[in-house]
Amino acid sequence: MIEILNLRKRFFRKQVLDGVSFAVEPGLITCLAGLNGAGKSTILKAIMGLVPVDGGSIRIDGRETALHLTGNRGQLNRYRAHKVAFIPDRPAMPPSMKMRDALRFMADFYGDVWNGEKARDMMAFFELGEDERLGNLSKGTAAKFNLVLGLALETPYVLMDEPFSGIDLFSREAIADVFSTGWLEGRGVLITTHEIREVEHLIDRVVLLKDGVVAKTFDSEEMRLAENKSIVDVMREVYRP
Amino acid sequence: MRPDEGFTFAFNNREPVYLQVVRHFKIWIATGRLRAGQTIPSRRELAVLAKINPNTAQRAYREMEEQRLIVTEGNSPSRITGDERILRSVRSELLEEAVDRFMELIGHIDVSTEELVALVRQKHAALRNGGNTGHD
């Protein structure tokens, strides 16, 4: 389990995270939602140790990993790399690289954590060829390839930052289909998205951020069962001024 | 049970998805699309077919097992029950549900039972004579 407790982060005058607490459980798809600037991406980056936090704790399977600008970063980075795959909202590789080279780079860099067979399966599922350069890919294709790079890492946890943002309908549908497959089976998934409608039927748990704290957490099926409300209904209640 | 055989799913966002999956199966049973003893897809296959979370598919199958609509023995694939009594009750349950919903809709309209029955009889006859219900 990834346990986030009382996380705090200030950017200049803005207290972006003001005591955020929630958990990412194995086997569940958790959606972290919030209006623009609510700190969703900051939380993902904090889990990955890419931004330091001002306070609070991030425990990954029992081990404290929150980056406070001190401590042994190297060891923690290794630990995180085996525990969590981070899929950023756009590919982080150089545009001149071919997809084939990017796959080879991942295999070399991650070693045991990289599952080449899974990567090949996903390339076939998305109908991606390996010869194209990353710089020439359409946004939709780049998003799919980005997902391949992240999901082929055999980590118990996966973080996805806006996997549906700015891409065409059919690419969004293809990416949504990944959530119905066994590729995520047993893993704890944390996803941020604006396109809630795309994933209404796919997510187990919702965490709504507002004003630097978690305003509401709920299981989507339980919410439908108990109150007959969709995720979007609940979001309207929480965010409408 | 493939989409090209007419087994397609449509969901609304306000009802638990697992219960909507169960209702799809009940309709297919009541209309004879799924027969007693017929093998159904695995939980994983269903998740992909219906484009839903595998946990939800799992929960739908558990619910159908509890309602004894499907049976799973050991490692063999799940099947529609062979129990005719349960299969018949699915049909009456769906009918009753549909009538309940109809009653809710007309609850605030002032109408006599005779008028209502006459209208239902007329619409039902039209439906049987080629699907024309008076709407276009």
Side-chain angles (χ1 to χ4, degrees), chain A residues 27-29 177 179-181 185 200-204 221-222 224-225 228-230 233, chain B residues 11-20 44 47-48 50-56 59:
Chain A
L28 294 186
I29 298 170
D177 280 347
F179 291 84
S180 306
T181 65
E185 197 169 336
E200 273 269 4
H201 302 140
L202 299 170
I203 55 193
D204 294 290
E221 284 282 85
E222 294 309 321
R224 294 184 195 108
L225 192 60
N228 256 291
K229 285 176 188 162
S230 70
D233 290 338
Chain B
F11 299 115
N12 68 64
N13 291 336
R14 295 200 168 105
E15 248 181 298
V17 178
Y18 80 97
L19 290 180
Q20 297 186 60
R44 277 185 196 178
V48 173
K51 298 179 185 290
I52 56 173
N53 185 314
N55 294 330
T56 309
R59 193 166 174 185

Side-chain angles (χ1 to χ4, degrees), chain B residues 1 6 15 17 21 26 32 44 48 60 69 90 97-98 101 103 113 130-131:
Chain B
M1 240 191 81
E15 248 181 298
V17 178
V21 171
K26 284 182 173 172
R44 277 185 196 178
V48 173
L69 285 175
V90 167
E97 249 183 55
R101 223 172 302 156
M103 285 309 193
T113 309

Side-chain angles (χ1 to χ4, degrees), chain B:
Chain B
M1 240 191 81
R2 298 198 318 264
D4 57 356
E5 296 166 339
F7 291 102
T8 53
F9 292 83
F11 299 115
N12 68 64
N13 291 336
R14 295 200 168 105
E15 248 181 298
V17 178
Y18 80 97
L19 290 180
Q20 297 186 60
V21 171
V22 174
R23 188 173 320 117
H24 277 83
F25 274 84
K26 284 182 173 172
I27 291 171
W28 291 329
I29 289 171
T31 54
R33 303 283 297 284
L34 289 176
R35 293 174 315 278
Q38 188 173 336
T39 306
I40 58 169
S42 71
R43 289 148 172 76
R44 277 185 196 178
E45 286 163 349
L46 180 83
V48 173
L49 277 173
K51 298 179 185 290
I52 56 173
N53 185 314
N55 294 330
T56 309
Q58 170 71 24
R59 193 166 174 185
Y61 275 37
R62 212 184 316 137
E63 178 71 22
M64 290 196 286
E65 274 164 1
E66 274 166 24
Q67 295 190 21
R68 312 230 314 256
L69 285 175
I70 62 169
V71 283
T72 314
E73 284 159 358
N75 282 332
S76 40
S78 300
R79 294 171 174 280
I80 303 293
T81 179
D83 188 331
E84 289 295 337
R85 211 164 29 92
I86 291 174
L87 295 175
R88 272 196 304 276
S89 76
V90 167
R91 182 176 169 279
S92 40
E93 183 194 323
L94 283 179
L95 268 176
E96 204 158 311
E97 249 183 55
V99 172
D100 283 348
R101 223 172 302 156
F102 171 65
M103 285 309 193
E104 247 171 65
L105 287 172
I106 61 152
H108 59 279
I109 302 173
D110 184 23
V111 57
S112 72
T113 309
E114 289 71 28
E115 192 185 341
L116 206 55
V117 169
L119 195 59
V120 169
R121 189 171 286 134
Q122 184 196 328
K123 295 277 183 189
H124 192 233
L127 184 71
R128 297 198 141 182
N129 291 335
N132 182 359
T133 57
H135 295 283
D136 46 27

